[in-house]
Amino acid sequence: MELVLNGTQVSVDAAPGESLLEVLRERLGLRSMKDGCAPEGSCGACTVIVDGRAVVSCAQPASRIAGRTVTTLEGLSPEARSVWADSFAATGAAQCGYCSPGIVMKAHALLDRDGAPSRDEIARALAGNLCRCTGYVKVIDAVERAAAVRRGVPPPAVDAGGGVGSRTPRHGARELALGDQPFVNDLRVPGMLHGALRFSDHPRAVVLRIDTSRAAAAPGVMAIVTAADVPGERIVGLIAHDWPVFVAEGETTRFVGDVLAAVAARTRREARAAAALIEVEYEVLSPVSDAFTALEPEAPALHAGGNLLETSVVRRGDAGAALATAAHVVRDRFSTSAVEHAFLEPEACLAVPGTGSRDGDAPAAGGGAPDEPALRLFSQGQGAWDDRRQVASLLGLPETAVRVTQVATGGAFGGKEDLSVQGQTALLARVTGSPVLIALSRPESLRLHPKRHALTLDYEVGCDAEGRLLAVRARIVGDTGAYASVGAKVLERAAGHACGAYRVPNVDVEARTVYTNNPPAGAFRGFGVPQVTFAMDGLLDRLAERVGIDAWEIRWRNALRVGDRFGTGQLLGPGVGLEKTLLAVRDAYRGARYAGIACGAKNVGIGNGLVEHGRAILRPEHDGTLTLWHSWTEMGQGVHTIFAQIVAEEVGVEPAAVHVLVDTEQELDTGETTASRATTLGGQAVADAARQLRAALDAIGPGSLPKELAGREFAGEFVCDWTTPIGTGIENPVTHLAYGWATQVVILDDEGRLARVVAAQDVGRAMNPTLLEGQVEGGVHMGLGLALSEAFVTEGSVPLTTTLKSLGILPASAMPPVEVIIVEEAQPEGPYGAKGAGEAVLVPTPAAVAGALFAFDGIRRTALPMRDSAAARAALPRVDRLPRPANAGINGVDARGRAAGVDDAGSREIAPVAEPAGTP
């Protein structure tokens, strides 16, 4: 067919059923439009302009485009591209950047129609474009700025000072906005094959036979691999090794994301068609779909050690005695649903075989450097060295034989910590001897990776007559799904944070991590803490009623301060800014008719006895630039930018002169990018390296330039080796390096709709206020979705939510204004006093929403999401048509506490949380 593409007449072949997106990317070689959900057409990342109208190209059949005019981001004028790049960079509108090109094209079409749209009009225009990072606030800022520039209004000056505390634009922001930053699925190398996976059809079934004969005969197929082809260790895992890269014949599947086989073919279409031809014979078994059922003695054991993965215990004082003598005691059962990360970039990996001999073999005929790795992976995971370790083990190679290069990651939020497709991709490349790319579709992504844990929380909280907390007793059960992932650590974190951000002298908490046949649950922004905060703060509101004080006052009386003990017993030192966050929101809370308030605490660093490192290498180059190697994944949070600012601060160069790399060619293993620790640990290491370079320059003499030391490497390191394990009975445990602190107020209007969020966050030091505001706004958006609408729903362990649209993510038009208040209570252990901020922003939001809903309609809600509310229905009108989570219908107690099973005091008559029979 013929069409006009970016002003040029082109002729292109298109196969029957191909989409416009496929034609543009695979046949015409354009990359600005991204595949986030094809062919669903719900995320907008693939937006282009056809005959002047913005369309999602993944849902547009290519056959309909014949004879029409198509404009992609590559085809905008240089002036237009510059306006959009500048606007997104200046406002911080691009975080991970995967959605940015599609938003630019949608906004460009809008401004062509209306040169001065209002913020509401911009938000409505972006209804078909999903951004999981920003909360849309800065995206709308960028569109407003671009509109003004197009009208001839001079743009405001950009703070490009570069040092710590400046609003330096995000590292690579212009490239992200224009779609010029390649993600894994944008990479192409000569001779590259495409891979596809064959998943299990059943959550629990014995695999009797895998027949690949029809698939092997399909067009374009180059190789098919199964468990029998794995030369090394087939079972992997970040902590517990229990997750098979391939399930073998004779073994039992544990969830529908189990991989049985992988296909390599010439094209992605051929690979996927062949994978569908693989025939599997099963003995189907009944799945274990509920955590409490899994704990029953007669439940089938899903793993050799049984269905109870781990129990975490926190005990201090005598909670039973304190509750027995408390003036007020409230108790209830809370429940939260599984939730999907919905990062915009589905999982992908490119594996390229090497020609060298680092695997111990003789060099290949015709050359290959002796130190060249046997395999190179281009990964989007959250831990390049963990990827290397697991892939090398799978292939039976030493770790040095595998090199992992970290590619720009289109969002993660914890969902890319576990190995996803890296193992299957690597094995196909090894077997074929050719580069192989596997890129999952959105339904496959939803099927495969771990989710936020669904928790059931039985809580009992007591206070004295003045509202000062005396005791917390809690029993928590977490459905960790088919495999361990980091689920035991999530429940450990929930137990440690079960008292919230409050001073509690007597604590009795048990948290159990339970295997089921549901999709695995693992790391997700907040790591179990938003769920326990929803319960703890919900009961704190009820205690305030009993005492006769407002919700702000009871938090003020119980807020943790320097010298208090955290829930785990840790004695808090300097860096506790919770009081300041409470004071910052007091007037907003008390001045609103319908408002809820909650506080949040979130650990910085994994802690609990783990020795943690920050490592970095800084090397001046002959051209005056500096190369910085570090170990943390840039997934939108801004770690590359912060580290470049630290180098600028210490060395006296511009951030643009710093070239940032994450690659296992340098031995900088620090584990996963998790636990809000990259800025703290990595920042200290980068500062150490930069100060060494500065000292070396000073030793040369005044005015010395970095290029005078070209090729010399300066290695920085920071070690945290002073934390202690949880629940060991140590008198003064130090369970974490530091904590982030937040207080949020959610305000509803007279119709019960979201009207405003006030978010005060103690960050220690605002390293980059623009990036920090974006983290808070994006965290609030994610927290509102967790509170009101989002759930990953299964039935019989089979997902019902198989599209982005079915997940209940709030659109731009549902996002209320967010007032970000930055509090800087310096953390001595952090660089320049900074502490991690990416997770604490999310922790208080659901609890604050619940308080606001109660103020509006008098209903105490104990289940997330709270879809029964006016706020949910206003934010997402189709919320009632989404798949219903298992805990739907639990909410619904009026202001007097009158409902079936509710006592006169306003708390449900659940049995008191059991006294411990002994430490598990």
Side-chain angles (χ1 to χ4, degrees):
M1 66 181 187
E2 292 190 350
L3 66 150
V4 177
L5 176 64
N6 295 330
T8 300
Q9 189 82 22
V10 299
S11 179
V12 61
D13 293 327
E18 272 192 330
S19 68
L20 174 59
L21 176 64
E22 290 175 286
V23 169
L24 292 173
R25 286 180 59 86
E26 304 307 326
R27 296 186 180 273
L28 296 172
L30 300 177
R31 293 286 181 268
S32 67
M33 64 299 301
K34 309 301 180 186
D35 181 356
C37 68
E40 184 184 343
S42 291
C43 77
C46 66
T47 301
V48 298
I49 296 174
V50 178
D51 291 343
R53 185 172 64 90
V55 302
V56 284
S57 58
C58 76
Q60 191 76 17
S63 58
R64 296 182 184 175
I65 306 302
R68 303 176 72 176
T69 298
V70 177
T71 304
T72 72
L73 226 170
E74 291 90 343
L76 297 186
S77 70
E79 295 78 14
R81 286 170 58 84
S82 181
V83 167
W84 285 114
D86 290 345
S87 296
F88 269 62
T91 60
Q95 288 192 21
C96 82
Y98 199 79
C99 68
S100 297
I103 289 175
V104 166
M105 295 306 288
K106 176 67 74 67
H108 190 83
L110 169 66
L111 297 189
D112 281 348
R113 300 192 310 271
D114 180 355
S118 67
R119 291 186 71 86
D120 285 345
E121 289 169 335
I122 296 170
R124 287 195 297 271
L126 294 177
N129 291 77
L130 181 63
C131 176
R132 197 60 163 161
C133 297
T134 67
Y136 300 103
V137 177
K138 296 201 181 306
V139 170
I140 296 174
D141 291 344
V143 179
E144 279 193 317
R145 187 183 191 275
V149 171
R150 284 168 54 125
R151 296 194 305 270
V153 178
V158 176
D159 178 4
V164 169
S166 72
R167 290 183 177 269
T168 297
R170 178 178 299 276
H171 182 275
R174 293 176 60 86
E175 292 80 3
L176 289 169
L178 298 177
D180 292 340
Q181 172 65 59
F183 295 88
V184 173
N185 196 21
D186 296 326
L187 302 177
R188 298 294 183 269
V189 294
M192 189 182 83
L193 304 175
H194 292 261
L197 305 180
R198 174 63 161 93
F199 292 97
S200 173
D201 299 287
H202 306 282
R204 182 166 175 257
V206 180
V207 179
L208 301 177
R209 183 176 60 91
I210 301 173
D211 185 349
T212 62
S213 57
R214 289 180 62 213
V221 171
M222 307 302 290
I224 300 175
V225 294
T226 65
D229 299 294
V230 175
E233 296 295 326
R234 186 166 48 89
I235 313 299
V236 299
L238 290 173
I239 302 173
H241 288 205
D242 65 352
W243 197 330
V245 176
F246 294 93
V247 174
E249 289 183 341
E251 294 179 343
T252 301
T253 65
R254 295 187 177 95
F255 85 119
V256 294
D258 275 330
V259 177
L260 307 181
V263 178
R266 294 172 304 185
T267 69
R268 189 175 188 233
R269 275 183 164 251
E270 289 175 334
R272 299 175 76 80
L277 294 175
I278 296 174
E279 298 176 357
V280 184
E281 182 182 345
Y282 303 94
E283 177 189 345
V284 179
L285 306 174
S286 296
V288 180
S289 302
D290 174 78
F292 289 93
T293 301
L295 291 172
E296 294 293 334
E298 63 272 17
L302 303 181
H303 288 269
N307 296 337
L308 179 61
L309 173 61
E310 191 169 301
T311 300
S312 291
V313 178
V314 176
R315 289 201 179 98
R316 291 190 295 112
D318 189 337
L323 288 168
T325 59
H328 305 286
V329 177
V330 292
R331 64 178 69 95
D332 214 333
R333 168 169 285 190
F334 295 79
S335 64
T336 68
S337 297
V339 178
E340 159 66 21
H341 302 77
F343 37 74
L344 263 289
E345 179 201 21
E347 292 85 345
C349 180
L350 171 63
V352 181
T355 57
S357 60
R358 203 184 289 180
D359 59 350
D361 298 331
D371 63 346
E372 184 178 345
L375 187 78
R376 187 173 182 187
L377 282 183
F378 295 86
S379 174
Q380 47 154 249
Q382 288 182 234
W385 282 263
D386 280 335
D387 285 358
R388 180 181 72 171
R389 171 179 57 80
Q390 294 176 95
V391 168
S393 173
L394 177 81
L395 299 180
L397 298 173
E399 289 188 30
T400 53
V402 178
R403 176 182 172 187
V404 178
T405 297
Q406 189 70 45
V407 181
T409 301
F413 313 110
K416 293 177 179 175
E417 289 189 18
D418 297 273
L419 209 65
S420 59
V421 299
Q422 296 95 320
Q424 296 90 355
T425 311
L427 182 59
L428 284 172
R430 207 53 182 155
V431 167
T432 63
S434 299
V436 175
L437 171 70
I438 292 182
L440 295 186
S441 68
R442 180 59 60 177
E444 291 171 335
S445 173
L446 295 175
R447 185 179 193 134
L448 176 65
H449 70 256
K451 316 300 176 194
R452 187 184 296 281
H453 278 76
L455 299 187
T456 301
L457 312 103
D458 288 327
Y459 257 75
E460 195 170 5
V461 183
C463 70
D464 65 17
E466 285 73 43
R468 290 179 173 83
L469 293 171
L470 297 175
V472 168
R473 183 187 285 154
R475 298 294 180 267
I476 305 167
V477 173
D479 181 351
T480 209
Y483 299 109
S485 181
V486 293
K489 293 301 176 184
V490 172
L491 271 293
E492 180 182 77
R493 201 74 71 249
H497 288 66
C499 298
Y502 308 111
R503 182 190 322 106
V504 182
N506 299 283
V507 181
D508 176 9
V509 179
E510 294 179 8
R512 290 181 288 174
T513 312
V514 184
Y515 285 120
T516 68
N517 288 121
N518 294 325
F524 195 159
R525 191 180 198 175
F527 214 77
V529 182
Q531 297 99 306
V532 295
T533 302
F534 173 62
M536 181 66 195
D537 273 62
L539 292 183
L540 202 61
D541 286 344
R542 300 189 204 182
L543 288 174
E545 279 192 310
R546 297 277 192 93
V547 175
I549 58 179
D550 72 8
W552 186 91
E553 182 63 31
I554 198 168
R555 285 166 174 80
W556 179 255
R557 294 182 186 184
N558 293 285
L560 285 165
R561 296 165 170 86
V562 174
D564 288 337
R565 290 192 183 275
F566 195 71
T568 59
Q570 179 172 351
L571 193 66
L572 296 174
V576 184
L578 185 59
E579 281 182 295
K580 293 181 180 179
T581 67
L582 271 164
L583 290 171
V585 305
R586 179 182 57 191
D587 292 345
Y589 173 72
R590 289 181 168 166
R593 183 179 181 186
Y594 304 123
I597 184 172
C599 297
K602 179 63 178 66
N603 59 290
V604 175
I606 296 173
N608 292 330
L610 180 71
V611 177
E612 299 179 81
H613 297 265
R615 295 186 174 110
I617 293 175
L618 188 61
R619 185 178 72 193
E621 308 293 354
H622 290 284
D623 61 1
T625 63
L626 298 120
T627 300
L628 172 65
W629 284 272
H630 68 84
S631 60
W632 310 99
T633 296
E634 173 58 75
M635 49 195 173
Q637 81 278 40
V639 66
H640 283 357
T641 312
I642 298 302
F643 291 172
Q645 287 180 252
I646 291 174
V647 174
E649 178 81 15
E650 298 294 341
V651 181
V653 298
E654 294 294 323
V658 183
H659 180 50
V660 187
L661 295 173
V662 178
D663 195 305
T664 63
E665 65 179 341
Q666 297 279 15
E667 290 299 336
L668 299 173
D669 185 8
T670 56
E672 294 288 318
T673 307
T674 189
S676 300
R677 63 187 184 145
T679 292
T680 302
L681 298 176
Q684 288 285 41
V686 172
D688 181 21
R691 288 165 186 158
Q692 292 179 47
L693 171 56
R694 180 71 265 167
L697 291 172
D698 291 344
I700 296 175
S704 299
L705 299 175
K707 64 182 180 181
E708 297 177 49
L709 296 171
R712 182 173 167 185
E713 293 185 349
F714 297 85
E717 184 171 19
F718 176 76
V719 180
C720 174
D721 58 2
W722 58 82
T723 66
T724 54
I726 194 171
T728 54
I730 297 173
E731 183 177 353
N732 289 303
V734 180
T735 46
H736 292 291
L737 164 69
Y739 297 87
W741 308 95
T743 303
Q744 290 181 8
V745 171
V746 174
I747 300 170
L748 308 181
D749 66 15
D750 290 342
E751 302 299 322
R753 298 170 299 200
L754 294 171
R756 181 182 169 213
V757 177
V758 182
Q761 179 99 5
D762 170 26
V763 302
R765 174 73 185 277
M767 303 286 279
N768 185 314
T770 299
L771 271 58
L772 175 58
E773 291 161 359
Q775 285 292 294
V776 175
E777 291 154 358
V780 167
H781 175 262
M782 190 172 280
L784 292 174
L786 174 61
L788 293 174
S789 56
E790 291 188 40
F792 185 84
V793 181
T794 58
E795 186 175 283
S797 297
V798 177
L800 299 182
T801 40
T802 57
T803 63
L804 283 178
K805 189 171 290 186
S806 65
L807 297 173
I809 299 170
L810 300 180
S813 58
M815 185 65 181
V818 180
E819 179 185 351
V820 179
I821 301 173
I822 297 174
V823 171
E824 296 181 292
E825 187 71 23
Q827 188 68 45
E829 296 83 0
Y832 313 97
K835 64 189 76 170
E839 292 180 281
V841 297
L842 173 74
V843 168
T845 316
V849 172
L853 295 177
F854 175 76
F856 176 75
D857 61 18
I859 297 175
R860 290 291 186 198
R861 291 172 169 85
T862 58
L864 296 180
M866 298 177 283
R867 290 179 176 176
D868 63 308
S869 64
R873 290 190 292 270
L876 201 65
R878 57 183 177 80
V879 70
D880 292 333
R881 299 197 296 272
L882 297 175
R884 286 168 57 85
N887 64 354
I890 292 176
N891 291 324
V893 181
D894 67 24
R896 294 186 59 202
R898 296 291 186 177
V902 178
D903 67 20
D904 290 332
S907 293
R908 302 181 186 188
E909 290 181 337
I910 66 167
V913 177
E915 289 278 7
T919 302

